[in-house]
Amino acid sequence: MGFNFRGNPADRLRLGVFVVGAGWRKLRSRVLAQRWLPLGSGSVPVSTRLLIAPQDLRTGDATRATEIYAGRFAFAGKVVSAEGRSPFEIEPPSVEWSEALLSFGWLRHMRAAGSTIARANARALVSDWIALSQRRDPAGWDIEVVARRVISWLTQSPLILQDADQAFNRRFMRSLAVQTRYLKRAGPIGRDGYPRLVATIALAFAALCMAEQGRLLRTAQRRLCDELDRQVLPDGGHIGRNPGLLIELLLDLLPLRQAFNARNLPPPPALLNAIDRIMPMLRFFRHGDGAFAQFNGMGPTPADSLATVLAYDDTRGAPVANAPHSGYQRLEAGGTVVIADTGPAPPLGLSGETHAGCLAFELSSGRSRIVVNCGMPATGREAWRPAARQTAAHSTVVIEDTSSCRFLAEGTLMRLCGAPILEGPAEVPVERLVREEAQFLRASHDGYARRFGVLHARSWRLSPDGDRLDGEDVLRAANTRKAARHTADEWVARFHLYPGVVPTLLPEAEAVQLTLPSGETWLFTAPGHEVDIEESVFLAATGGPRRTDQIVVSGDGRAVPRVVWTFLRVAPAPAAEPRPRR
């Protein structure tokens, strides 16, 4: 749902302050990116050499190097043929494609090829960008893009600099100094959240890798510690609440820790503590099939990257169940896993990717996911984002087809500062308890209080054997001054199913049989309510969005503000046939 300036005065004031700040930061970053600004003796000196090359934990594919050598640049679902031109002179087909090209993450594919031709091609493309960067294309000087490019150049420096002549080496080192200086000046005013954090990580990498950067290293360490302490929460989640960012962070923080050791310098305690806090949260968000739960911007789980960072986990213990700072809860018994979003909306400047999915949950049995949220696709995210962030794209209750959060509407302001949450759940009390070995979880949120005068409360009970999940959704009056006077006329409880789960509506119309790919059979019931099956879409599939189904239970908020539902395992998966002996 959009928002305009005719809303209440408090929203207009908050939005006005946020927009002015975003505009000022963007203007300052544009000015700092201009080539006529001198390096300055007190800024970042141009080093003559690199001391170390950090490890790149992201997987390279040698076949991609062959495509790039042939002039085919495939990024973010778009393929562009350069036809003899520099890819940096071509009109990009999408913003995502441009960001992928200018971030230079594809250099790892050329390093995987390990050939003389790949090294020469990589060096030529880097040289092209250095020559064309004098134009200061705004897309190439986005804070996050610059940070990713600096990290890529440093990690792939053996590929780029091997066999390079002195003239190229000087241009390369000077360009690194210019970009590092830009990160030093513009990083603190960049977009809050992950972009600002990755800028500080890139600054620390540059200070460790380039010679004669003692002053820069002190600045980088101070900023890195401040951002890690602020953005990595005590339970290990990220302040922006996107589970996928934890994988991305570890892919950079683990090599950064190694870079400190390679320079015989003690890693900052904040860096070590952040890694130790994040590691358990990787297991928290995983289902039995290894995939992450789809909350707040999470897309397809990068299985290779996740496996890489999990290899650094020394504890390998059971995942934590309670993540109150991140706003998530986990129930697990008998191979059944329930992961629920029980957190309020982040602050305005950190909510640009957050979804309106409070009290949504996901359910899995063994290696089969059953109930999911729609998630986000790997490519085409901008097109899908408005729909994917709505409450209806999550397995929770929707009131009068309205989201529990208000987002900034499309238009000039959205292009300037994104689409933050202007109003959403602020109070989300959570209660956990164990009774007769069964796990109970209760939570409520006030995202609908101001518009419909109601609170949504949801409870879950997972049986000790994991065969039964009982739930209850209740709408009750909100006792606050700001609550609306009228009540909700209609509510819908949605349960989006994972692709491959086959629902069958039973004749009594109060139950749905769910057949899983593993052969298990589950039964969904909602006594006293009519149950229906509607179409849905799972956006976070590895190969792109996939059609699926959702269970829908609807009712009248004034007449029946309560629904009790159950997921019951009625037939286990058939046992695997024993393998014949050799």
Side-chain angles (χ1 to χ4, degrees):
M1 181 175 179
F3 175 86
N4 55 58
F5 277 101
R6 289 176 294 182
N8 65 70
D11 285 335
R12 285 186 293 173
L13 178 61
R14 285 196 310 129
L15 178 59
V17 172
F18 177 73
V19 169
V20 170
W24 174 243
R25 288 191 297 271
K26 182 163 289 189
L27 176 62
R28 286 189 63 187
S29 63
R30 292 279 181 90
V31 171
L32 291 173
Q34 297 307 308
R35 63 184 177 89
W36 42 262
L37 288 177
L39 277 172
S41 59
S43 183
V44 178
V46 180
S47 300
T48 58
R49 61 194 176 97
L50 295 178
L51 301 176
I52 59 172
Q55 183 182 8
D56 188 353
L57 296 182
R58 293 171 173 84
T59 306
D61 183 356
T63 60
R64 298 284 301 276
T66 305
E67 294 180 357
I68 293 174
Y69 181 74
R72 286 171 51 85
F73 296 86
F75 308 125
K78 304 289 184 180
V79 181
V80 172
S81 180
E83 298 179 352
R85 296 177 295 166
S86 169
F88 308 108
E89 297 178 317
I90 298 174
E91 184 70 23
S94 69
V95 174
E96 293 171 311
W97 186 92
S98 177
E99 291 175 346
L101 173 70
L102 296 171
S103 297
F104 281 80
W106 40 269
L107 285 174
R108 66 181 182 273
H109 304 310
M110 310 185 82
R111 188 175 185 180
S115 63
T116 303
I117 292 177
R119 291 194 297 270
N121 191 24
R123 191 160 51 250
L125 290 170
V126 170
S127 183
D128 280 352
W129 184 86
I130 292 174
L132 295 172
S133 66
Q134 300 299 318
R135 300 179 306 178
R136 289 297 195 268
D137 179 14
W141 289 89
D142 176 82
I143 294 292
E144 187 175 350
V145 171
V146 176
R148 293 253 61 96
R149 183 167 58 243
V150 167
I151 294 174
S152 296
W153 282 18
L154 293 172
T155 55
Q156 306 304 332
S157 56
L159 166 77
I160 301 169
L161 297 179
Q162 185 176 345
D163 305 325
D165 56 34
Q166 291 186 357
F168 175 83
N169 188 78
R170 285 194 297 269
R171 293 198 306 274
F172 179 80
M173 297 304 298
R174 180 175 177 84
S175 181
L176 264 181
V178 170
Q179 296 177 71
T180 303
R181 177 211 59 173
Y182 175 70
L183 290 177
K184 181 182 178 183
R185 294 184 177 181
I189 61 174
R191 186 159 52 90
D192 200 2
Y194 179 72
R196 193 176 297 178
L197 179 53
V198 76
T200 64
I201 293 172
L203 200 66
F205 270 122
L208 289 167
C209 295
M210 297 192 298
E212 303 168 353
Q213 300 293 340
R215 183 177 178 180
L216 177 63
L217 182 57
R218 290 190 293 272
T219 300
Q221 285 194 77
R222 184 182 69 254
R223 292 185 185 177
L224 179 67
C225 293
D226 291 343
E227 287 300 322
L228 287 175
D229 288 340
R230 186 175 69 90
Q231 294 199 34
V232 179
L233 301 173
D235 55 23
H238 184 259
I239 194 171
R241 307 195 66 230
N242 182 346
L245 291 183
L246 302 181
I247 302 174
E248 293 298 316
L249 283 176
L250 285 178
L251 289 172
D252 291 327
L253 294 180
L254 290 170
L256 184 59
R257 182 179 65 181
Q258 294 175 344
F260 274 99
N261 293 330
R263 287 289 309 276
N264 294 318
L265 296 171
L271 171 60
L272 301 178
N273 292 337
I275 293 174
D276 290 341
R277 293 199 304 272
I278 292 174
M279 277 297 185
M281 287 300 287
L282 296 181
R283 299 190 300 273
F284 178 95
F285 286 112
R286 294 183 77 194
H287 285 290
D289 63 353
F292 267 33
Q294 299 297 318
F295 294 109
N296 294 305
M298 181 66 199
T301 303
D304 53 347
S305 297
L306 180 58
T308 298
V309 297
L310 284 173
Y312 288 83
D313 185 6
D314 297 328
T315 59
R316 301 180 183 275
V320 297
N322 186 4
H325 301 280
S326 300
Y328 293 102
Q329 297 288 328
R330 179 186 177 99
L331 307 175
E332 184 172 4
T336 300
V337 173
V338 178
I339 307 174
D341 181 345
T342 57
L348 190 64
L350 293 162
S351 63
E353 300 289 331
T354 311
H355 292 193
C358 194
L359 302 195
F361 77 101
E362 295 199 354
L363 168 68
S364 62
S365 173
R367 298 185 59 83
S368 297
R369 281 180 277 176
I370 304 173
V371 176
V372 294
N373 299 303
C374 293
M376 284 286 287
T379 61
R381 294 171 68 92
E382 291 299 327
W384 280 103
R385 183 172 284 113
R389 298 179 74 189
Q390 300 297 313
T391 302
H394 299 78
S395 294
T396 186
V397 169
V398 185
I399 296 179
E400 293 193 9
D401 200 24
T402 303
S403 286
S404 58
C405 296
R406 288 185 176 182
F407 303 101
L408 180 63
E410 297 182 9
T412 304
L413 293 181
M414 187 175 176
R415 290 191 293 270
L416 177 65
C417 53
I421 292 176
L422 301 176
E423 179 184 295
E427 297 293 334
V428 189
V430 179
E431 180 185 5
R432 288 184 67 108
L433 58 112
V434 176
R435 184 180 300 163
E436 297 179 355
E437 298 185 3
Q439 301 173 62
F440 285 83
L441 174 62
R442 297 192 184 99
S444 64
H445 77 81
D446 58 355
Y448 289 115
R450 292 181 64 173
R451 281 168 288 175
F452 303 111
V454 297
L455 301 177
H456 171 211
R458 169 169 275 186
S459 62
W460 299 261
R461 177 192 178 276
L462 182 62
S463 64
D465 56 8
D467 286 347
R468 179 171 181 143
L469 175 66
D470 293 295
E472 181 185 45
D473 287 298
V474 178
L475 302 181
R476 62 172 185 263
N479 298 318
T480 63
R481 293 181 180 179
K482 297 181 179 179
R485 294 183 179 180
H486 64 283
T487 58
D489 294 331
E490 182 183 44
W491 56 263
V492 176
R494 300 183 181 275
F495 304 87
H496 296 269
L497 302 177
Y498 185 70
V501 176
V502 180
T504 303
L505 193 62
L506 299 184
E508 53 268 29
E510 291 183 0
V512 178
Q513 178 179 293
L514 303 174
T515 304
L516 312 188
S518 64
E520 280 188 1
T521 302
W522 285 68
L523 193 67
F524 173 86
T525 61
H529 292 80
E530 184 173 347
V531 180
D532 202 357
I533 299 173
E534 296 182 1
E535 288 188 356
S536 180
V537 59
F538 184 65
L539 300 175
T542 303
R546 291 182 58 186
R547 181 201 173 280
T548 185
D549 297 292
Q550 60 177 308
I551 299 173
V552 175
V553 182
S554 57
D556 189 323
R558 293 171 298 181
V560 187
R562 176 176 178 268
V563 57
V564 176
W565 45 266
T566 299
F567 284 91
L568 178 65
R569 178 159 41 201
V570 294
E577 296 184 3
R579 294 182 180 180
R581 298 191 178 206
R582 293 183 180 180

